[in-house]
Amino acid sequence: MFRLPVTEKLDGSIDCTLMTPFNKKHVNGRLFLSQNYICFESRVKSLVSLVIPLRDIKVVENIENNVSNAELDKAIIVTTKNEMDKTNFLFAQVSDRDFLVRKISELLSRTQLPLHSFETLSLKSNGSSGDGQSLSSAEEMTTWKCQPPLMNLFPLNIIYDVAKKQKEKEKQWELHFNEFGRGVSMYRTIDIAKLVLQGIPDTLRMDIWMAFSGAANEKATYPGYYRSLVDQALLKQSTANEEIERDLHRSLPEHPAFQNSIGIDALRRILCAYALRNPNIGYCQAMNIVASVLLIYCAEEEAFWLLATLCENLLPDYYNTRVVGAVVDQ
């Protein structure tokens, strides 16, 4: 429903309303809690939905109704931490307000603990972390760095009409962000779906893809995991790594980013890391093309989490030995 990490479980729901500031209405729906998220879904499908990570919440408070306004009965306000862009979410007519506030407070106290350690994040097959090889020195761990979006390092020649349309789209999106919020916790309505269908401008693709796919939540849950995985994967000898090496120079060879060791090395790291993360899939043809496109628009670690989310959540069974998902869709 909300593109949360697969480890999250929605622990029941409570009827309530959500005040939507963009139209100043109180929308009927259900509030869901998991161990690390507050979510809301309107009763009217696709009218509005909301995902608030507990990691972003500063405080949850009861709001007393002193104006005899039935719409504000049993209300709570959720305030986020961002001092530069502090956001308040107002839920009202909460059927069991005291229990909800107490439960959220308990969950918030747990979020002060460290997030999941990458050492404990099991791999997709059997929890194995590979062949047990370890780095021979600390120096090897620092011989690479995550790359920014490759379109920033290897810009293409500007085409005036294309650049003009990109700027127009950016303005439309900025206006939408000003009204509906930005990032994981923006108000999600049919308006955002229309904007997506009109095309996401290049400069916003990473942020939008990360927020709406759920990959941003996965990345935030496992800090340091990608670097740890790469350090193991680059030392591992496997069939998947050999296949990846053969395909590296066949991945968007016409793009300048992949005529250069910077792009090729980043692509190698992502593909080898994912093959180690998920041995059931390992490496499949066309993965290199998808990862190359992600690297053009996204920073390296974000591209890794997007690839993982595509393969495991958005397009399950597309990338395996039988490509069942692709065959079914065709």
Side-chain angles (χ1 to χ4, degrees):
M1 288 179 68
F2 300 106
R3 298 291 180 208
L4 303 184
V6 294
T7 52
E8 297 293 320
K9 304 297 179 188
L10 295 179
D11 188 15
S13 63
I14 292 179
D15 291 334
C16 66
T17 64
L18 170 66
M19 204 285 278
T20 48
F22 50 86
N23 58 7
K24 295 181 172 57
K25 291 185 177 180
H26 293 264
V27 178
N28 288 303
R30 291 183 298 164
L31 183 148
F32 297 84
L33 276 183
S34 76
Q35 292 300 302
N36 295 289
Y37 299 88
I38 298 173
C39 303
F40 177 86
E41 179 75 17
S42 58
R43 288 289 183 186
V44 177
K45 186 174 175 60
S46 301
L47 186 63
V48 63
S49 66
L50 188 65
V51 174
I52 312 173
L54 294 185
R55 64 178 180 267
D56 293 340
I57 294 175
K58 181 177 182 179
V59 66
V60 177
E61 298 174 293
N62 289 341
I63 299 294
E64 299 308 325
N65 183 10
N66 298 320
V67 292
S68 300
N69 184 345
E71 289 185 327
L72 293 177
D73 280 346
K74 295 183 178 179
I76 67 170
I77 190 163
V78 177
T79 305
T80 58
K81 294 177 182 175
N82 191 340
E83 295 298 331
M84 299 293 293
D85 186 24
K86 187 180 294 183
T87 305
N88 295 318
F89 300 98
L90 178 62
F91 300 94
Q93 300 179 39
V94 181
S95 55
D96 195 347
R97 181 177 69 168
D98 291 341
F99 168 78
L100 178 63
V101 171
R102 187 168 63 251
K103 183 68 175 176
I104 293 174
S105 297
E106 290 174 3
L107 293 172
L108 281 174
S109 67
R110 296 176 192 171
T111 62
Q112 307 308 315
L113 299 173
L115 293 171
H116 298 280
S117 169
F118 55 81
E119 286 90 350
T120 64
L121 180 59
S122 59
L123 304 182
K124 291 291 174 180
S125 62
N126 55 11
S128 168
S129 61
D131 59 1
Q133 295 185 54
S134 60
L135 294 175
S136 59
S137 69
E139 183 181 352
E140 289 180 85
M141 297 181 67
T142 58
T143 54
W144 65 276
K145 64 177 182 179
C146 283
Q147 296 298 333
L150 295 180
M151 67 178 184
N152 297 342
L153 300 179
F154 302 92
L156 301 178
N157 293 330
I158 294 176
I159 301 173
Y160 176 75
D161 289 343
V162 174
K164 183 180 177 182
K165 288 180 180 178
Q166 288 279 317
K167 288 295 181 185
E168 290 170 355
K169 287 181 181 179
E170 287 176 17
K171 288 180 182 177
Q172 285 183 304
W173 279 86
E174 290 299 333
L175 290 172
H176 188 87
F177 291 149
N178 291 338
E179 197 171 0
F180 292 83
R182 188 169 189 155
V184 173
S185 295
M186 72 184 299
Y187 294 93
R188 306 180 185 195
T189 69
I190 194 67
D191 292 334
I192 196 71
K194 292 176 181 176
L195 269 182
V196 169
L197 288 172
Q198 291 171 20
I200 303 172
D202 293 353
T203 55
L204 296 176
R205 287 188 176 190
M206 178 175 73
D207 291 342
I208 297 298
W209 289 350
M210 289 291 288
F212 290 167
S213 68
N217 291 326
E218 294 283 1
K219 177 177 181 286
T221 303
Y222 300 108
Y225 174 61
Y226 174 63
R227 177 166 288 276
S228 171
L229 209 56
V230 170
D231 286 339
Q232 296 174 64
L234 293 182
L235 292 178
K236 184 177 174 61
Q237 292 185 343
S238 67
T239 303
N241 283 10
E242 292 172 1
E243 292 174 351
I244 289 167
E245 208 61 40
R246 285 198 295 270
D247 278 355
L248 286 176
H249 294 277
R250 291 182 275 186
S251 306
L252 301 192
E254 71 281 2
H255 196 286
F258 299 102
Q259 299 167 8
N260 186 288
S261 62
I262 293 175
I264 294 291
D265 290 346
L267 181 59
R268 177 187 293 109
R269 288 192 292 269
I270 282 184
L271 295 174
C272 291
Y274 188 73
L276 179 60
R277 166 184 166 85
N278 194 345
N280 285 337
I281 294 178
Y283 171 73
C284 300
Q285 283 191 330
M287 258 187 181
N288 57 320
I289 306 299
V290 174
S292 298
V293 173
L294 294 175
L295 280 167
I296 290 172
Y297 298 107
C298 306
E300 184 177 329
E301 187 171 0
E302 280 75 3
F304 166 80
W305 283 112
L306 280 165
L307 179 65
T309 300
L310 275 169
C311 293
E312 296 161 18
N313 301 337
L314 301 182
L315 296 174
D317 297 324
Y318 262 61
Y319 297 101
N320 58 30
T321 53
R322 296 186 298 152
V323 291
V324 174
V327 172
V328 169
D329 282 354
Q330 289 170 26

